[in-house]
Amino acid sequence: MTSARHVPRVTAAVLLAGLLASGCATEEPGTPTPSSPTSNGESGTSAAGADVPPVANPLDASAYLDRPCDLVPQNVMDGLSYTEPGNALTAEENSTAALSGPGCGWNVRGRGQSVVVGIQTGNQQDGIGGLQGIYDAYQDGQFEYYEPTTVGDYPAAFSDISDKRDRGSCAMYVGIADDLTYSVYAGPYTDDPDEACPVAEQVAGAVIDTLKGGA
């Protein structure tokens, strides 16, 4: 029997990819189901919370919720062979984005691969946001892997509901506040699977640079 406790929605960019990257071969994963409550009955709290570092210098993403494609400069995407403008999904125009948060996707025409960025405002509004929420979902068995890293001195993790990195698909989350993450998905890079995660990291770094620069 499931409880009313929520766990973070799968709002990694891969969830939005099926909508943003039309014509792409990217798969849209399933959504985690609610898990059992913690022993103290608190929502979104993990006994291993100390394993997720706090965000020392939070960044404000509010200016980009209506224009998520501006999070990544086009010259960065050009350098990764994504020469066409990104396709945005915002809460005003799409029910998925309204539930999980806005996003933007870029495609390489004829190559069936994409890069997608998503901002997890849905988890933030539910009180289960931030990298801690992603770690809790991993602890609850909702994600297959969780590998901590950093992006521009901000805490981050490679994480997804299934591990397809050996097939050229890579997803990561970056904490820009203790209650807010953004995600980056890259793939599938079937010809060179090892390329996916470096691409995701480069795009994630560009988002940090944009947010540090302000609106």
Side-chain angles (χ1 to χ4, degrees):
M1 179 177 179
T2 59
S3 74
R5 180 191 172 196
H6 295 288
V7 295
R9 303 184 183 98
V10 178
T11 53
V14 283
L15 178 61
L16 297 173
L19 297 171
L20 288 165
S22 58
C24 238
T26 305
E27 295 180 7
E28 180 179 342
T31 302
T33 56
S35 61
S36 300
T38 56
S39 59
N40 60 9
E42 294 179 359
S43 175
T45 301
S46 170
D51 292 342
V52 178
V55 177
N57 299 297
L59 295 171
D60 183 6
S62 60
Y64 295 92
L65 300 183
D66 293 328
R67 50 188 181 98
C69 293
D70 290 347
L71 284 168
V72 186
Q74 187 57 46
N75 68 301
V76 172
M77 300 309 300
D78 288 344
L80 297 171
S81 299
Y82 294 87
T83 56
E84 298 186 7
N87 300 305
L89 281 182
T90 60
E92 291 73 18
E93 61 191 20
N94 184 271
S95 59
T96 298
L99 181 66
S100 62
C104 183
W106 294 261
N107 303 318
V108 176
R109 186 183 298 273
R111 289 172 58 180
Q113 65 192 38
S114 62
V115 165
V116 191
V117 173
I119 308 174
Q120 278 73 66
T121 53
N123 290 339
Q124 182 186 48
Q125 292 163 3
D126 286 347
I128 50 175
L131 204 58
Q132 180 65 52
I134 305 302
Y135 182 77
D136 288 346
Y138 166 70
Q139 289 289 86
D140 289 333
Q142 307 297 313
F143 290 80
E144 185 173 338
Y145 66 99
Y146 181 99
E147 296 183 4
T149 185
T150 58
V151 174
D153 295 327
Y154 283 80
F158 293 101
S159 189
D160 201 358
I161 62 171
S162 59
D163 192 350
K164 298 182 180 179
R165 288 174 292 180
D166 62 347
R167 286 172 277 173
S169 294
C170 186
M172 68 185 308
Y173 292 83
V174 183
I176 52 174
D178 287 339
D179 65 347
L180 182 63
T181 59
Y182 68 87
S183 56
V184 180
Y185 165 84
Y189 284 79
T190 53
D191 293 337
D192 186 3
D194 291 338
E195 188 177 1
C197 286
V199 168
E201 288 184 286
Q202 184 173 342
V203 172
V207 173
I208 292 292
D209 290 342
T210 296
L211 294 176
K212 283 183 174 180

